[in-house]
Amino acid sequence: MADVPNDAPEHCPGTSSDQAGKSSACQGCPNQNICASGAAKAPDPAIEEIRQKLTSVKHKILVLSGKGGVGKSTFSAHLSHALASDDSKEIALLDVDICGPSIPKIMGLEGEQVHQSGSGWSPVYVEDNLAVMSIGFLLSSPDDAVIWRGPKKNGMIKQFLRDVDWGEVDYLIVDTPPGTSDEHLSIVQYLSGAGIDGAVIITTPQEVSLQDVRKEIRFCKKVKIPVIGVIENMSGFVCPKCKNTSQIFPPTTGGAQRMCEELNLPLLGRVPLDPRIGRSCDEGRSFLTEVPDSPAAVAYQNIVQICHRRKVSVH
């Protein structure tokens, strides 16, 4: 939980729980008396610090998925590239997938390091108007495993939001891990003062993915995050040579279209599979500039324009 102190025991109920300071897990904890008194239920002062730090960031958008492997980080990267294609906009991409940071590789930034300045951590820049921050920049090797419990991951997310010197930014895109766990609760809590414009949710057509996405949508409703819309990724395969379309992941239950109709959510678009997307990500280049006329690149651009027409401030 996001309200678990960094020095808490393994089964800490959290400072906002009615069992704070009273459960068996609290015995011997240095925070037991404070929690039992109710003083620990006060708002985390970091929330106000983050609000002040992010006053220079106009819009904050989360990219979520219920299941891993649906292309969420790939979409986050290319959404950032698409927004940054407007030279008048300043874009920032924050990778909070603490245990699986893939953004440095996708953005061509492997081996880069974060530098400290008088105003905080300086992000790494892909372009003059596209800044990136990831725990991947803090690891000595891309193969290093981050084996952390929840409180330490939450502390790192807090540090990213409070200590990174983004400067004046139009859009902060937050790439999250799959699921609805510690990292998601931390982001929601720490941005509660600064505000979240909304979430873009990524799925693939098959029902096994849609089941998890429904949980993600329910999470957004519970924590009051507006859902900008859903994107169906890997939606068919368009052969780069013959242009024929094949369904690699058949939408056996109607795919994202049917789900969005049932839940009264907008389907922002479908992005087809294209092997050149994977190659571009492996090589750290933008697929949108490598193959701008491909069906997948056109789909990305259309999604950004649809968001604009919906007045969600994505372009």
Side-chain angles (χ1 to χ4, degrees):
M1 294 292 290
D3 61 350
V4 174
N6 289 338
D7 56 351
E10 182 175 356
H11 299 293
C12 173
T15 58
S16 61
S17 169
D18 290 338
Q19 292 301 309
K22 303 172 185 176
S23 76
S24 58
C26 300
Q27 299 301 317
C29 175
N31 302 309
Q32 183 176 10
N33 291 336
I34 297 174
C35 290
S37 71
K41 293 186 179 181
D44 189 332
I47 295 174
E48 175 59 20
E49 294 169 359
I50 290 168
R51 185 194 69 78
Q52 294 180 13
K53 183 74 173 184
L54 297 183
T55 54
S56 61
V57 178
K58 294 179 182 177
H59 303 291
K60 305 156 200 77
I61 298 169
L62 306 186
V63 180
L64 304 173
S65 72
K67 181 173 288 299
V70 299
K72 171 184 49 55
S73 294
T74 300
F75 180 82
S76 298
H78 285 89
L79 175 60
S80 301
H81 279 301
L83 294 170
S85 64
D86 182 348
D87 292 337
S88 68
K89 303 296 184 184
E90 295 292 332
I91 312 302
L93 173 58
L94 174 59
D95 178 12
V96 297
D97 192 345
I98 302 298
C99 295
S102 55
I103 287 296
K105 177 72 171 179
I106 295 173
M107 302 299 283
L109 298 174
E110 273 193 318
E112 296 288 343
Q113 294 184 338
V114 173
H115 298 285
Q116 188 82 25
S117 69
S119 53
W121 283 349
S122 297
V124 179
Y125 282 83
V126 183
E127 306 286 349
D128 288 343
N129 66 332
L130 177 51
V132 180
M133 177 57 73
S134 169
I135 193 175
F137 300 141
L138 306 177
L139 304 177
S140 59
S141 165
D143 297 332
D144 284 353
V146 180
I147 308 173
W148 290 355
R149 293 191 187 277
K152 194 168 183 181
K153 290 190 288 185
N154 298 335
M156 178 56 68
I157 292 171
K158 180 194 296 187
Q159 197 165 1
F160 279 155
L161 293 172
R162 185 184 58 194
D163 297 344
V164 174
D165 181 20
W166 296 111
E168 295 290 332
V169 170
D170 292 285
Y171 304 103
L172 173 64
I173 309 300
V174 182
D175 180 42
T176 66
T180 54
S181 57
D182 286 330
E183 293 91 332
H184 305 80
L185 294 170
S186 294
I187 282 288
V188 171
Q189 180 189 19
Y190 293 141
L191 289 179
S192 59
I196 299 171
D197 287 64
V200 174
I201 299 179
I202 312 298
T203 186
T204 50
Q206 70 271 41
E207 179 59 26
V208 70
S209 177
L210 295 169
Q211 283 183 344
D212 288 342
V213 165
R214 291 186 184 96
K215 297 181 179 70
E216 197 77 50
I217 292 168
R218 195 163 292 115
F219 167 81
C220 289
K221 290 182 178 178
K222 283 187 175 180
V223 298
K224 297 180 173 57
I225 299 175
V227 176
I228 295 171
V230 177
I231 293 164
E232 187 176 84
N233 209 8
M234 309 182 194
S235 183
F237 166 70
V238 180
C239 177
K241 293 185 177 180
C242 70
K243 308 302 180 186
N244 286 332
T245 301
S246 303
Q247 292 299 327
I248 306 299
F249 302 112
T252 54
T253 59
Q257 178 72 53
R258 177 72 176 275
M259 182 193 71
C260 287
E261 291 171 356
E262 292 173 351
L263 300 177
N264 194 28
L265 291 172
L267 178 65
L268 300 178
R270 298 183 175 93
V271 180
L273 276 166
D274 190 319
R276 295 169 295 186
I277 296 177
R279 186 172 67 244
S280 295
C281 290
D282 285 346
E283 296 173 354
R285 299 200 301 266
S286 169
F287 172 76
L288 302 182
T289 56
E290 293 284 306
V291 198
D293 297 327
S294 68
V298 172
Y300 274 116
Q301 298 293 355
N302 287 342
I303 287 166
V304 174
Q305 292 302 320
I306 290 171
C307 289
H308 171 62
R309 290 198 294 271
R310 292 190 66 238
K311 299 180 180 177
V312 188
S313 304
V314 179
H315 204 289

